[in-house]
Amino acid sequence: MPKKPATSFGSKPKKASDSKTVKPARKKPVNRAETGKDQGPAKKKAVKKRAVKRASPKVPAKAKSPRAETPKEAPGNLHGNLESVETPTQPEPVNSEQALHNVFLHEEVPSLNVVHISPEMAPVSKVGGLADVVYGLTQELAIRGNNVEIILPKYDNMRYDHIYGLCESFHDLWVPWYDGAIHCTVYFGFVHERKCFFIEPHSQDNFFNRGKYYGEQDDVWRFAFFSRAAMEFLLQSGKRPDIIHCHDWHTGLVPVYLWEIYEHMGLGNSRVCYTIHNFKHQGMCGGELLEATGLHRPEHYFDKSRLGDDHHDGALNLMKGGIVYSNFVTTVSPTHAREVRDMGQGFGLESTLQTHAPKYGGVLNGIDYEAWNPQSDKHLAAQYNADTVGKKYDNKRALRERLLLADNEKPIIAHIGRLDPQKGLELVRHAIFHCVNNGAQFVLLGSSPEPSINAYFWHLKNEINENPDCHLEIGFDEDLARLIYAGSDMMLVPSRFEPCGLTQLISMRYGTVPVVRAVGGLADTVFDKDYSHVELNKRNGYVFHEDSYTGVETALSRAIACYYQYPDHFRHLMLNAMKTDYSWNVPGQHYLNIYNHIRKK
């Protein structure tokens, strides 16, 4: 028997027997409503199927299903002892360039039933980029004619003003937990035309009544329960999705539950796509979670080929479980996928990703082109598009007036984002002085969760804010952010690592030329004016490689020089950026091709 992990991996909640509502035996519930049907707003728009050109995502032709790669549980008692299963064999590794080889270029993808299970979704429960991805991708999938539903926790601090027609949809959902069950209610509502189900547990653990989304000592237990509740809801409501798409460590147990429990109860035809947005947080915990969740064979799950963490004896890793048991695993850009697997950015999961390389790859995120549209953005002083890009300079003047910057011919270089060491803050600081001393203005908008970092930038603000060519705004203001995107000439993104990055995508949408370090999604979306291998009409910014002062200085100097000496070239960069499609159109097709691939396995 493996050793139990240290208690630092999380604290456990109370057992179901201590909860407010407990049911020791399974009872077939009554479906109170036809979930998701005829409950929408009267003004709900008809969703049209978009005629699109088939993109060419790369999907492995021989990726194996978890039915062959992962162990299965025998049908019968959910909490009983099960027969041991041999450790799955390791698939042959493949070249990273073939990780998403396209096998459906000439094949129509049929309409699918897709369920996303996620801990957050914009705008109702947003913490980071994960929320935007779920919001944007699900809409794109629905536009293409698929039936798409999202399952979320019912947090007490959600933005309920963005939910239309919230109503009780499924009353008697009993979710196995420890040696009993917890009673839950499932609510249905539309979030900007997206069909959403919200799970509310009735337990004194108050899993989702904490006034915040994350950051609790029992987060692992909270989301292990949510994942089990989501699967139980699919089972009891009679939903049989073709694809279950889950996200990050919070739902890493979903494919484990599917193949170890629910496959034998009617969900065996569903397939799982698992997207990892942040490898740093992996959901580490001890063996007591197995007792809570009904996964009763510790020697089975602690095996290093399943959930056993590779670097902490006696610890379970929920993200690793998601990788092992899913039919396909994605992260948010092709370059980041390689960096994580082959360049030491996997936070200990490199060997697991190498083992499962045939079913692993990167799909670049998109942005919502309706939400980020300079032609209709009401936050701007003047709306514009690629044909009227001259109006962009009305926003430049408005930005200078708002921030009390000097009105001159200098370019404005900006940085927007969370002030986090990941973002290359030393390079940001150095760039401020380099730009001001070399014929440019600089604007920064951002804040940090770390008090020491905020204090440092407040000190820097007090030191240089009197300079008429510089302004630092410590905090976040949506209206100001949009004006900066529209009013700046260049956007600096010098990240140390960047899984995908949204700042450069939004900047290009607004005709602001990105200056980026060639990592992750930045390398996949920004192509250097002078040195890129792509065609001239696809070059859209400036790129540097070294994480150094020299690297960022060189890129900025080239950009500033082009602005002054070759204004026509600079204008072409702006237009190239605006004409590039980084909407959800192409990623949506990539995911549909992956779905179609794995549903046949």
Side-chain angles (χ1 to χ4, degrees), residues 23-85:
K23 182 183 176 186
R26 179 183 296 276
K27 171 186 175 183
K28 183 177 181 181
V30 178
N31 191 344
R32 300 295 185 184
E34 185 66 21
T35 54
K37 296 181 181 179
D38 301 324
Q39 299 183 48
K43 298 181 180 180
K44 184 177 182 296
K45 299 178 182 178
V47 178
K48 297 182 179 179
K49 190 168 184 178
R50 178 186 295 169
V52 294
K53 180 180 179 181
R54 294 298 178 190
S56 55
K58 302 172 184 177
V59 182
K62 296 184 179 180
K64 296 182 180 180
S65 161
R67 299 173 69 91
E69 292 178 0
T70 57
K72 307 185 193 68
E73 208 165 286
N77 187 350
L78 292 183
H79 303 287
N81 293 325
L82 303 176
E83 296 178 359
S84 61
V85 182

Side-chain angles (χ1 to χ4, degrees), residues 468-510:
D469 288 328
C470 183
H471 183 88
L472 309 186
E473 190 73 19
I474 312 304
F476 190 77
D477 183 316
E478 175 75 12
D479 180 69
L480 177 58
R482 289 175 177 267
L483 187 58
I484 292 173
Y485 279 122
S488 300
D489 298 289
M490 305 167 214
M491 183 67 65
L492 177 65
V493 191
S495 303
R496 289 180 175 174
F497 67 93
E498 191 67 66
C500 177
L502 298 179
T503 302
Q504 85 280 11
L505 303 183
I506 299 170
S507 298
M508 289 189 282
R509 176 69 164 151
Y510 283 71

Side-chain angles (χ1 to χ4, degrees), residues 225-272:
F225 176 82
F226 166 67
S227 297
R228 184 72 195 263
M231 294 303 297
E232 197 70 21
F233 172 59
L234 293 179
L235 175 69
Q236 296 191 31
S237 64
K239 294 181 180 295
R240 299 296 182 264
D242 299 301
I243 301 296
I244 300 172
H245 195 150
C246 47
H247 301 266
D248 268 352
W249 73 261
H250 313 78
T251 56
L253 283 180
V254 166
V256 181
Y257 291 143
L258 175 63
W259 298 113
E260 293 286 359
I261 298 175
Y262 291 93
E263 176 193 12
H264 312 289
M265 304 176 70
L267 288 168
N269 291 325
S270 297
R271 298 293 180 265
V272 181

Side-chain angles (χ1 to χ4, degrees), residues 323-342:
I323 294 170
V324 171
Y325 281 81
S326 293
N327 296 88
F328 206 92
V329 183
T330 69
T331 189
V332 293
S333 71
T335 295
H336 185 60
R338 293 191 295 271
E339 292 171 341
V340 166
R341 192 188 68 183
D342 302 327

